[in-house]
Amino acid sequence: MIPRDFEYYAPKSIPDALGLLKQFGDEAKLLAGGHSLLPMMKMRFAQPGHLIDLGKISELKGIREEGGTIRIGAMTTENELIWSKLLQAKCPLLVEGARLISDPQVRYKGTIGGDIAHGDPGNDHPAMMLALGASFVLRSAAGERVVPADGFFVGTYDTLMKSEEIMTEIRIPTPAPGTGYCYAKLKRKVGDFATAAAAVMLRMNGETVREVAIALTNVGPTPLKARAAEDSLRGKALTDASMAAAGELAMSICDPAVDQRGDAEYKTAMAGEMTQRALRMARTRAGH
Ligand SMILES: Cc1cc2nc3c(=O)[nH]c(=O)nc-3n(C[C@H](O)[C@H](O)[C@H](O)COP(=O)(O)OP(=O)(O)OC[C@H]3O[C@@H](n4cnc5c(N)ncnc54)[C@H](O)[C@@H]3O)c2cc1C
């Protein structure tokens, strides 16, 4: 289908973009890479009369580390994440996850901010953000607020972000050296969304788990933090039995939508499997 007519704007600064958002209110939509928004517009699920392209705002791009925090501009593309030496060295979970997103075309244009702001439980960054303990900088004409990823996703295509806000930056506490990580994603074919996926960050203290974070993709209306699974592992040895038990606990919070990728039982089982697979790989990468 063809989208409805719209006016296109390409502001060069955040204040200009915020001014347009304020002027047009709910009639306006922000455009990042366009890989989720444009299909929605073609199907007329979204019908903005004014499209505000963030692509010319250089301030929204880039990856840097400051005082123990990795700061990523919301308009940074998937490929820029993959190619980042900083992320390869200090936050390889994001590199691994971004490599598993769709195909080269989508990764050249699709942005981390758009992937998060879209609120699609099938997108991969939201679960990685939960596992990394990230927070998001949201700016409006009234000022700036920083909200944790945990609690940001409130429903399918629904987040805490207000229509007058722009996500400007993603902040991630730099993982401690030696932290194990893995994004395990099951998909039917290259380029597909996850049937189920699990993001794991793991710190060991000798043979026992010091800290662990587990989050799941596409097995609920939002990305899910597997808190009971995490609690079951802290302070314990990471054995086949404890990982299997954590997988079961992860499965217990799943409530997947049924679609062509499988029924609820299958997707739930795969979430447990991906959790165990990610834990095993994270343990190896943590040196155990
Ligand atoms: C064939 C295909 C396969 C895909 N497979 C995957 C996959 O496996 N995993 C995955 O994670 N994604 C996948 N995607 C989605 C892709 O990653 C999108 O790029 C992403 O969901 C949205 O990012 P975008 O930059 O394209 O945002 P857009 O499509 O431009 O915007 C998406 C939404 O976010 C809002 N928005 C964008 N940026 C901001 C901002 N800075 N502040 C506030 N609101 C903002 C927009 O207004 C819009 O509502 C796939 C897409 C396609 C077409």
Side-chain angles (χ1 to χ4, degrees):
M1 275 174 68
I2 298 171
R4 70 165 273 199
D5 285 350
F6 57 85
E7 295 295 325
Y8 172 84
Y9 309 83
K12 294 209 170 67
S13 72
I14 296 174
D16 286 355
L18 289 172
L20 288 163
L21 264 187
K22 198 165 180 205
Q23 185 180 348
F24 298 119
D26 287 344
E27 266 291 286
K29 261 294 192 191
L30 297 170
L31 174 69
H35 276 294
S36 291
L37 181 57
L38 295 186
M40 298 281 253
M41 287 171 62
K42 285 183 181 173
M43 290 185 282
R44 303 232 172 172
F45 290 139
Q47 303 196 46
H50 302 273
L51 209 52
I52 305 167
D53 188 347
L54 300 176
K56 296 229 170 344
I57 307 177
S58 51
E59 207 187 319
L60 290 175
K61 269 189 171 284
I63 306 166
R64 65 188 203 283
E65 190 186 21
E66 237 179 65
T69 301
I70 294 170
R71 294 170 163 230
I72 304 174
M75 285 296 288
T76 304
T77 65
E78 304 299 347
N79 270 340
E80 287 162 345
L81 300 178
I82 292 167
W83 297 332
S84 161
K85 296 278 180 246
L86 174 65
L87 295 183
Q88 288 166 15
K90 298 201 169 178
C91 193
L93 178 78
L94 267 189
V95 177
E96 181 164 78
R99 286 175 66 91
L100 293 168
I101 290 178
S102 194
D103 52 36
Q105 266 176 310
V106 171
R107 295 195 293 262
Y108 264 107
K109 291 294 286 181
T111 65
I112 183 170
D115 197 272
I116 295 165
H118 193 47
D120 184 341
N123 278 1
D124 293 296
H125 282 298
M128 288 190 273
M129 295 298 115
L130 291 179
L132 288 164
S135 52
F136 309 133
V137 181
L138 308 179
R139 203 185 298 179
S140 72
E144 189 175 277
R145 60 182 180 135
V146 182
V147 299
D150 199 353
F152 178 76
F153 304 97
V154 294
T156 301
Y157 303 117
D158 196 8
T159 71
L160 282 187
M161 207 162 53
K162 299 186 183 127
S163 58
E164 67 267 23
E165 287 179 317
I166 296 178
M167 182 180 293
T168 55
E169 193 174 78
I170 291 93
R171 292 183 183 165
I172 297 168
T174 306
T179 302
Y181 68 92
C182 181
Y183 191 63
K185 177 174 176 178
L186 176 70
K187 46 185 179 174
R188 295 171 305 169
K189 59 186 172 63
V190 171
D192 196 18
F193 286 87
T195 302
V200 164
M201 294 294 287
L202 175 72
R203 285 183 74 191
M204 298 294 287
N205 191 1
E207 291 305 312
T208 57
V209 174
R210 177 172 172 178
E211 194 44 70
V212 63
I214 305 171
L216 309 173
T217 296
N218 222 7
V219 282
T222 64
L224 303 174
K225 187 96 161 56
R227 293 179 213 287
E230 295 169 349
D231 291 345
S232 75
L233 293 170
R234 280 194 198 98
K236 312 250 174 63
L238 204 53
T239 61
D240 285 350
S242 71
M243 287 189 281
E248 291 284 338
L249 287 166
M251 286 167 62
S252 72
I253 60 167
C254 294
D255 180 20
V258 175
D259 60 19
Q260 72 276 21
R261 292 182 186 86
D263 59 25
E265 195 185 347
Y266 172 67
K267 289 182 171 186
T268 300
M270 289 307 101
E273 180 59 34
M274 291 304 110
T275 300
Q276 289 193 61
R277 199 175 284 187
L279 282 167
R280 232 173 277 126
M281 180 56 83
R283 181 179 63 179
T284 303
R285 286 169 170 169
H288 290 268

